Amino acid sequence: LDLADNDGNRPMLEAARLGSVRMVTTLRVAGANWTSTNHELLNARDLALAGGHNEVVAYYDQGQNMGQDEAAVQNVHAYGEHDESEEEEREDVGEEVRQLEGVEQEEVTEQAKDMEVSSEMDDQELQDRCDILKMHPIFESLHQEHVQLVARSSLLRKYRRNMIILGSEATVQESASMFFVLSGEVRVQKQSNNRHDDLLEEGDAYGERALLTGDESADIVHANKDSLLMFVSKAVMSTILFIENTVYAETVGASWAGKVFQDAQSGKAEISSDMEEGEFHYGKEIERMITIHYEIPIIEEVKEEIDRKARKIQEVPLLDDILDGVPIRMMHNHDFGSDKKVSDRIRGSAAKNDEEYLFQYVDACQELGTQPMHAVIFQIRRSEKVMNLRGLQMNSKQALALSAALTYVRAIEGVDLSNNPIFDNGCLNSDSLRCCGIVNSIALNTHIKTLILSRTRISRVTAAQLGDVLAHHASILKLDLSCNNLADEGIEALAKGLSKSSSIRDLNVSNTRCTFRGATALGHMFRSNQTLEIVNLSWNNFLCKGSTALLKGITMHPKLVEVHMEWNLLGHSGGTALGQLLQATTTIKRVDVSHCGIPASAAGSICAGLANNSVLENMQMQFNPLKDGVPLIKDTMFANKNWKDRLPSIRLDNCEFDVCNYATAVVNSTIPTGHYKFDLSKPDDRKELGKLVTLAISEDGENWRNETLDGVRFNYPKAHAWVVPPKGILELDFVDMGKRDKDGIMPEVHFKQLTTMLNGAASSEARIDLIKQVCTGYRILGEDAMALMYSLNRTPEREEALMALFSRLCGRDAIMPKILLSCFNRREVEHVQYRLGTYYTFDSYRPEGKYRFDLGKQMEIDAMCHLIGIKQKIPSSEFKFVRVYDLTSRVNSQSVENVENFLVEENWPKSGILELDFHIPDTVEGLAEKKMFVE
C-alpha cells in the first residue's frame, strides 16, 4: 500500500465490512492522508454497522477523531522519505483541492466587473454560510463536514445596483453556477415564458438546475439593489459528488423535485413537459441528469438493475457475492425479484454474523412462497429500538414470514407495521409451524414492548387474540390499533384483557368504530386497570351515554396522565361527567375534548371541576357550543389559587361565544370600560359592583350609562352615593373617563408583535382578549389604535376594541373623530354613542344623523349644546322628529312641536331621553355650508 495513494480506500472499506479490527486499525493509520481528505471514516463506520460488526463500530466511536489522524500522518512522514514522484501522487489524491484553487484563479479575473470578497472567514461567518446552505434542499442531506467544504470553497461577490449578474454579460462559469443572496435584492427577468419577474431577497437562491444538470437558463438576472452573493460552482460540487457517489444524486433528485412541484402548486413555477409523469419520475430524471453531468461512475454489471429499481432508501452491504464491491440498494418494497440465489446469499451473510432470525425469515419466505423484503432485513440489522416498517404494502404472507424473525430477534423493542394491508391472516396462527403470526410472535418475545398496527385492516378477531395475549404478557407498554374496524365486539374482548394487564402504559383505539357497548366495556376496564397513563379514544361513536360511562370509569383510574376524546359526542351529561373528572383527578395533566358538542349548560360543572383542580396543564375544548360558558371557565381559571404561578393552557376558541354582546360581572380595574350585569343577591357580584360605585362617586355618576335595575331605567344620583338594593339584576355600560398618564406608551416592537398575533388569532374572542391584555400595561398612540382597528374585520370586534382602547388612548379628543370616520359608518357610530356617550364620540366630520341624549347626564347636555352650536353655523340645517321619552318607559313619548323654543336649555326637562334627527339638505347651499364647517 502506497501511503499517499487514494486506492487505500477500498481495502479499508473491505476490512470494515468483514469486521477485522486489526486490519482497520493498520490501514487507517497508514492511510491517514486519504482518510482525512476524503472523509471515508463515516462510510467505513456505516459499512461496519450494517454488517453487524460492533467491535469495528466501537473503534470508530472511541475518540478516533481527525486530530489523531493528523498525528498519524506526521509519524508516517517521519518514517520514510518522499521524493518528487510521491509528491505528484499525493497531488492526485487532492484533486478536489486543485479544482477549488482553479475556480478561485479563474474568478479572480472577473474583478473588472465586480469586486470579489476575501475568502477568509471566522468561525461565526462559516457557521452562517453553513446555515444558509442547509436551508436549501440540495444541501440539507449533506454531512456537516461536506457543507463546511462547500461554504469555504464558495465565492462571495458584490454587485452594485443594476449590474448584470447572469445574462449576456455573464461568464460561462457564472452561468453554470448557483448563487445565494446574502444581502440586497436581485431581480430575475423571465425570458422563456410569460410569467412575471421574480424578486430574490436575503436567503433566496437561483441557478439550481444549471449547477446540477448544466442546463443554463435564458433569464436575465441583475441586482435590484447593492447585493452580496455567494456562488457555488460545479468544481465544488464535483468534489462532494465524488465523495457521496450516487447516494447524494438520488437524494438531491428527490428533494429538488419536491421543491419544484411545491412551487408549481403555489404558482411560483410552471409544470414543464418533463414533469407530467409526476414528482417521483421527475426526481429520477433529475438524478439521471446529475449522474451524466458530473460523470459519476456506475459499475456496468449493476447499472441496469439500479435503473430498474426506481425506489431509494439507503445503501448497505448485505449479501456475500462478487457484486459486494457495490453495496446493494435497499428498497422500501420486496425488490429481490425472481433471483433464486438470493436466499442462499442471505443465509451466507447471516452465517458469518450468527443471525438466527435471518435464517428463520428466509426459510419462512420460501415456505410461504414469497420473496424476502430488503427493508425488513435492513431494519432488523439496524438494531433500532422500534422497527420502522410503515407503508411497505406488506401483505399477509410477508407479515407471517416476519413473525418468524420476530420470535428470535432480541435487539429491538418494538415494531411499527402501520399502513400495511396485513389483515387478520398476518396476525394470527397459520398452518406453518415456523410462522405463528405477528400477535403470537410478540407473545413469545418478551423483549418487544411496542406494537403499532394502525391502518392494517385487522378486525375484532385480532383484537380478541390481542386481549388474551395482554392478559398474560407482562412486557407490552404501547399498543396502537387505531383506524381499524374493531367494532364493539373487538373492543369488548380487548378491554377484558386490558383489565388484567400489568404492563400496558399507552393505548390508542381511536377511530375503531366503537359505540356505546364498547365505551361501557372500556369504562369498566378503567376501574380494574392500574397501569395505563395515556389513552386515545378519539373519533368514535360513543354518544352521550357511552361517553358518560367512559368518563366515570376514567375518574376511578389512579395513574392516567393524558386522555384524548376529541370528535365524540359528550353532550350535557358527558360535560357534567367531565367536570366531575376534573374535580376528582390528581394525575391527569392533558385532556382533549374538542369537537364534542359540550353545551353551555355543562359549563357550571366544568367550572366546579376546574376550581378545585391543581394538576391540569393543557385542555383542548375548542369547537364546542359553550357560548356564554366560555367567560365563566376563564374566570374560574384566574380565580383558582392553585394556578396562581402557572396557568394551564385551555383552548376555548370557536365555541359560539359572542364576545361583543356579553355582559360580565367581573371588573377589570385597569380597563373598567365595558358592559356589566350584576346579580345583587350574590355577594361576589356586589363586591365587584362596589368598584364601579367608587368610580361613579368621583365622576358624579357621569361614567354610568344606560343603567337599568330589573329592566327599569334610572340615573345614578349625582348628589350622594347610591344605596345598592339587596336584590335585583343591575345592567349598565361603564365608561372610564380618567386618563392614566403614568403608564408607558407601547413600544413599536411590541406593537408589531401584537399585530402579528392578531392576524394569527382564530376567533373574535382571542383578538379582543389580546387587545385587552395590551391595554392593561400600556397606553396606545392614536395612529397605532387606528392600525389595530383596521386589522379587525367585523364591526362588533371594532366596537369592543374601541371600548378597551378608550381610556388608554393618547390624545383621545383629537383621535376619536378620525377613528369614527375611518372605522365605522354613520349608523354604526350611533351604537358607539349609545355605549360611550355622545360627548366623547361626537362625529364632527359627519354631524348629520340620529342622536339620543340622556338629559340626566351633564355631559350629554353639553353634547346637545354642541350640536345646537353646529346648527347655528350651518343655517340651512334643521332638527327633525324631536321627541322626549320618559326615563322609565319609551311608551310615554312627547313630540316637540315648537323646536325653536325647545332649543333653549331652560326649557329642557330635568330627566328623560331626547331623540332627534339632525338634517342638512343636499342643496348646493347646504353642501357648501357643511364643507366650510368640516374644514
Side-chain angles (χ1 to χ4, degrees):
L1 175 67
D2 191 286
L3 301 183
D5 192 353
N6 192 44
D7 290 339
N9 171 23
R10 293 185 178 179
M12 180 174 177
L13 295 180
E14 183 69 8
R17 188 184 65 82
L18 295 176
S20 174
V21 179
R22 179 179 178 183
M23 186 62 71
V24 167
T25 305
T26 304
L27 290 173
R28 184 181 176 191
V29 174
N33 288 349
W34 48 261
T35 57
S36 60
T37 303
N38 289 341
H39 306 283
E40 293 296 340
L41 299 181
L42 291 174
N43 295 343
R45 182 189 180 281
D46 291 342
L47 291 175
L49 178 63
H53 306 302
N54 296 329
E55 299 85 1
V56 178
V57 175
Y59 170 75
Y60 284 112
D61 292 338
Q62 287 174 354
Q64 305 291 333
N65 51 29
M66 293 300 177
Q68 293 173 322
D69 290 338
E70 294 174 0
V73 172
Q74 296 178 0
N75 294 334
V76 171
H77 281 282
Y79 180 78
E81 297 180 358
H82 304 281
D83 54 15
E84 295 180 357
S85 62
E86 291 175 337
E87 294 296 330
E88 293 175 356
E89 292 177 353
R90 186 178 294 108
E91 289 181 356
D92 292 337
V93 178
E95 179 64 26
E96 69 277 7
V97 177
R98 292 203 309 277
Q99 290 175 344
L100 297 179
E101 292 176 352
V103 172
E104 294 176 357
Q105 291 176 1
E106 292 176 5
E107 293 180 334
V108 167
T109 61
E110 301 296 327
Q111 290 181 352
K113 184 173 64 173
D114 54 69
M115 183 177 66
E116 182 175 330
V117 182
S118 174
S119 61
E120 297 182 0
M121 69 186 80
D122 54 17
D123 293 341
Q124 182 60 44
E125 185 177 356
L126 176 63
Q127 184 61 42
D128 293 342
R129 292 196 193 182
C130 291
D131 292 342
I132 294 176
L133 291 170
K134 292 288 284 186
M135 292 174 61
H136 199 279
I138 294 181
F139 303 99
E140 65 180 0
S141 59
L142 280 180
H143 293 298
Q144 183 63 26
E145 57 267 26
H146 297 163
V147 178
Q148 292 180 357
L149 176 62
V150 175
R152 289 192 178 95
S153 306
S154 58
L155 184 67
L156 297 187
R157 285 173 173 261
K158 289 183 178 179
Y159 290 86
R160 296 189 180 276
R161 182 181 179 185
N162 296 329
M163 288 184 66
I164 299 296
I165 301 172
L166 298 177
S168 58
E169 302 178 10
T171 64
V172 175
Q173 186 168 359
E174 286 176 331
S175 301
S177 300
M178 171 185 177
F179 68 80
F180 290 84
V181 181
L182 300 186
S183 65
E185 191 175 84
V186 173
R187 182 175 294 277
V188 180
Q189 297 180 352
K190 298 291 185 180
Q191 304 295 318
S192 57
N193 52 44
N194 296 325
R195 296 183 58 82
H196 297 291
D197 295 349
D198 290 340
L199 201 63
L200 305 180
E201 299 177 344
E202 182 176 343
D204 293 339
Y206 180 82
E208 298 91 338
R209 190 177 183 90
L211 175 66
L212 296 177
T213 65
D215 294 344
E216 298 182 7
S217 173
D219 299 339
I220 298 178
V221 183
H222 64 86
N224 212 34
K225 299 178 181 178
D226 292 350
S227 304
L228 178 63
L229 309 183
M230 179 174 67
F231 282 84
V232 179
S233 64
K234 178 183 177 182
V236 180
M237 294 302 297
S238 297
T239 305
I240 304 300
L241 289 170
F242 175 80
I243 296 172
E244 293 285 351
N245 209 333
T246 57
V247 176
Y248 183 53
E250 283 185 275
T251 305
V252 169
S255 301
W256 178 238
K259 183 178 186 301
V260 171
F261 272 78
Q262 183 179 1
D263 291 344
Q265 292 177 356
S266 60
K268 298 180 180 178
E270 292 184 346
I271 298 291
S272 59
S273 58
D274 54 353
M275 299 164 59
E276 294 178 352
E277 295 185 4
E279 179 179 337
F280 174 77
H281 294 284
Y282 183 64
K284 300 307 294 183
E285 178 64 18
I286 293 293
E287 175 191 348
R288 186 187 65 80
M289 296 172 68
I290 294 174
T291 304
I292 296 173
H293 182 56
Y294 284 90
E295 300 178 353
I296 301 175
I298 302 179
I299 298 179
E300 293 297 330
E301 298 142 30
V302 297
K303 183 176 181 180
E304 295 181 1
E305 179 184 4
I306 292 176
D307 290 339
R308 179 179 59 82
K309 297 174 181 180
R311 301 194 65 184
K312 161 248 168 202
I313 281 295
Q314 195 167 345
E315 293 196 352
V316 177
L318 177 64
L319 310 177
D320 295 319
D321 198 275
I322 192 171
L323 295 179
D324 277 351
V326 174
I328 294 179
R329 305 168 75 81
M330 305 305 301
M331 310 300 162
H332 258 182
N333 209 335
H334 47 290
D335 202 9
F336 280 108
S338 59
D339 188 359
K340 296 182 179 180
K341 295 182 180 181
V342 168
S343 298
D344 295 334
R345 292 163 62 191
I346 295 178
R347 288 192 185 93
S349 177
K352 290 185 178 181
N353 301 316
D354 192 20
E355 296 169 320
E356 176 65 22
Y357 50 85
L358 280 187
F359 281 104
Q360 297 294 334
Y361 178 62
V362 174
D363 291 344
C365 288
Q366 283 188 332
E367 182 178 338
L368 296 171
T370 185
Q371 290 291 333
M373 298 181 70
H374 286 86
V376 170
I377 301 174
F378 174 62
Q379 287 290 336
I380 293 178
R381 279 185 158 178
R382 290 183 70 181
S383 299
E384 292 191 356
K385 289 185 177 182
V386 178
M387 284 181 61
N388 181 6
L389 301 176
R390 297 192 300 265
L392 301 182
Q393 295 302 310
M394 182 185 297
N395 57 32
S396 300
K397 288 186 177 181
Q398 292 161 346
L400 288 173
L402 172 64
S403 68
L406 291 178
T407 306
Y408 290 88
V409 68
R410 296 293 183 268
I412 65 172
E413 297 181 2
V415 57
D416 184 356
L417 291 168
S418 56
N419 291 288
N420 287 297
I422 65 177
F423 297 94
D424 292 330
N425 294 334
C427 295
L428 306 179
N429 284 321
S430 68
D431 296 333
S432 171
L433 296 177
R434 179 179 289 104
C435 308
C436 59
I438 296 295
V439 174
N440 283 333
S441 66
I442 300 299
L444 295 172
N445 189 345
T446 57
H447 291 80
I448 296 181
K449 301 178 181 179
T450 300
L451 177 60
I452 301 177
L453 296 176
S454 175
R455 300 180 185 275
T456 51
R457 304 186 188 181
I458 60 176
S459 69
R460 60 181 181 273
V461 181
T462 300
Q465 188 165 353
L466 269 171
D468 294 337
V469 171
L470 290 171
H472 305 92
H473 194 41
S475 62
I476 290 292
L477 301 179
K478 179 178 180 179
L479 178 63
D480 187 349
L481 302 177
S482 59
C483 303
N484 288 298
N485 186 15
L486 305 184
D488 288 334
E489 294 82 355
I491 293 296
E492 287 175 339
L494 183 66
K496 186 177 179 180
L498 289 170
S499 299
K500 302 177 182 179
S501 175
S502 60
S503 61
I504 190 73
R505 300 286 188 275
D506 188 344
L507 175 65
N508 188 345
V509 288
S510 63
N511 195 14
T512 52
R513 301 187 181 181
C514 177
T515 63
F516 165 70
R517 283 175 49 200
T520 305
L522 288 172
H524 291 300
M525 179 271 296
F526 283 116
R527 297 173 186 269
S528 303
N529 183 275
Q530 302 292 315
T531 59
L532 273 171
E533 296 178 358
I534 301 174
V535 59
N536 191 338
L537 308 167
S538 58
W539 287 92
N540 282 295
N541 192 22
F542 296 148
L543 300 181
C544 300
K545 190 175 180 181
S547 299
T548 302
L550 189 56
L551 287 170
K552 288 181 178 179
I554 293 175
T555 304
M556 306 298 293
H557 200 280
K559 290 186 178 180
L560 269 177
V561 176
E562 185 170 338
V563 178
H564 292 265
M565 287 194 63
E566 60 268 28
W567 289 98
N568 285 296
L569 180 61
L570 269 67
H572 173 77
S573 59
T576 303
L578 174 64
Q580 296 171 355
L581 170 64
L582 294 173
Q583 184 173 7
T585 184
T586 59
T587 59
I588 296 179
K589 298 181 178 179
R590 292 172 291 278
V591 179
D592 191 342
V593 287
S594 57
H595 301 86
C596 288
I598 302 175
S601 59
S605 178
I606 295 175
C607 290
L610 291 173
N612 298 316
N613 190 289
S614 60
V615 296
L616 188 66
E617 294 180 356
N618 183 285
M619 185 163 69
Q620 306 290 320
M621 295 188 66
Q622 64 271 26
F623 292 96
N624 285 296
L626 289 167
K627 298 183 180 178
D628 289 347
V630 170
L632 298 178
I633 295 176
K634 285 188 176 182
D635 294 341
T636 304
M637 287 174 53
F638 288 106
N640 190 330
K641 297 181 180 179
N642 297 322
W643 296 334
K644 186 175 181 180
D645 298 329
R646 179 197 54 81
L647 278 175
S649 173
I650 300 182
R651 285 195 60 181
L652 292 166
D653 50 290
N654 295 288
C655 289
E656 302 182 16
F657 170 58
D658 188 1
V659 66
C660 303
N661 294 318
Y662 177 72
T664 182
V666 180
V667 179
N668 186 335
S669 301
T670 305
I671 44 174
T673 301
H675 186 57
Y676 294 93
K677 188 175 183 179
F678 300 100
D679 186 349
L680 301 182
S681 62
K682 296 181 179 180
D684 292 340
D685 286 16
R686 295 178 68 90
K687 181 179 179 180
E688 292 294 319
L689 176 61
K691 301 177 183 178
L692 300 184
V693 171
T694 302
L695 294 173
I697 295 174
S698 61
E699 297 289 343
D700 291 332
E702 294 288 331
N703 44 16
W704 280 37
R705 291 192 51 78
N706 309 312
E707 50 268 53
T708 62
L709 182 62
D710 291 333
V712 179
R713 282 282 280 116
F714 73 97
N715 281 331
Y716 187 93
K718 299 181 180 180
H720 53 83
W722 181 53
V723 179
V724 181
K727 60 181 181 179
I729 302 298
L730 174 66
E731 192 168 357
L732 70 136
D733 289 310
F734 184 83
V735 181
D736 184 17
M737 300 179 178
K739 296 183 179 180
R740 293 174 173 82
D741 297 333
K742 296 181 180 179
D743 295 336
I745 297 175
M746 187 176 186
E748 183 178 358
V749 176
H750 293 179
F751 178 76
K752 291 181 179 179
Q753 294 176 353
L754 174 61
T755 54
T756 303
M757 295 174 68
L758 285 175
N759 293 331
S763 63
S764 301
E765 178 194 0
R767 288 185 283 270
I768 298 302
D769 280 348
L770 282 173
I771 294 176
K772 287 183 178 179
Q773 291 175 22
V774 169
C775 292
T776 302
Y778 295 109
R779 290 185 296 139
I780 310 298
L781 292 175
E783 299 299 328
D784 292 346
M786 292 187 65
L788 290 179
M789 302 289 285
Y790 283 140
S791 66
L792 304 175
N793 297 323
R794 297 176 59 234
T795 299
E797 289 182 21
R798 293 182 176 181
E799 184 177 317
E800 286 300 319
L802 184 59
M803 299 300 115
L805 293 168
F806 180 74
S807 62
R808 312 295 288 172
L809 287 174
C810 297
R812 181 174 60 195
D813 296 340
I815 199 64
M816 279 299 295
K818 296 181 180 179
I819 292 178
L820 295 175
L821 178 64
S822 303
C823 303
F824 301 95
N825 61 40
R826 190 59 183 83
R827 287 186 175 272
E828 294 166 352
V829 169
E830 294 172 10
H831 194 265
V832 174
Q833 291 175 344
Y834 175 79
R835 296 187 62 183
L836 289 176
T838 311
Y839 181 83
Y840 286 111
T841 57
F842 195 93
D843 193 352
S844 302
Y845 295 99
R846 297 171 297 186
E848 68 277 14
K850 292 184 177 181
Y851 288 89
R852 180 180 183 275
F853 300 98
D854 186 348
L855 299 178
K857 307 288 185 182
Q858 182 59 45
M859 299 188 74
E860 292 290 282
I861 295 176
D862 294 342
M864 178 63 187
C865 294
H866 180 60
L867 182 61
I868 294 174
I870 293 177
K871 182 184 182 304
Q872 294 174 352
K873 294 179 180 179
I874 305 178
S876 61
S877 63
E878 59 179 337
F879 289 135
K880 291 185 176 182
F881 311 110
V882 181
R883 305 183 71 86
V884 178
Y885 295 92
D886 184 26
L887 187 63
T888 59
S889 175
R890 290 179 59 89
V891 177
N892 300 324
S893 61
Q894 179 183 356
S895 178
V896 178
E897 301 295 339
N898 192 342
V899 178
E900 295 298 332
N901 292 334
F902 186 79
L903 293 180
V904 181
E905 184 176 350
E906 289 77 9
N907 297 331
W908 295 347
K910 299 300 181 182
S911 65
I913 303 297
L914 172 64
E915 291 186 356
L916 58 86
D917 285 358
F918 182 59
H919 177 67
I920 301 177
D922 293 334
T923 61
V924 175
E925 181 183 1
L927 294 177
E929 292 174 351
K930 177 183 175 182
K931 180 179 179 181
M932 183 179 299
F933 166 75
V934 172
E935 291 177 351

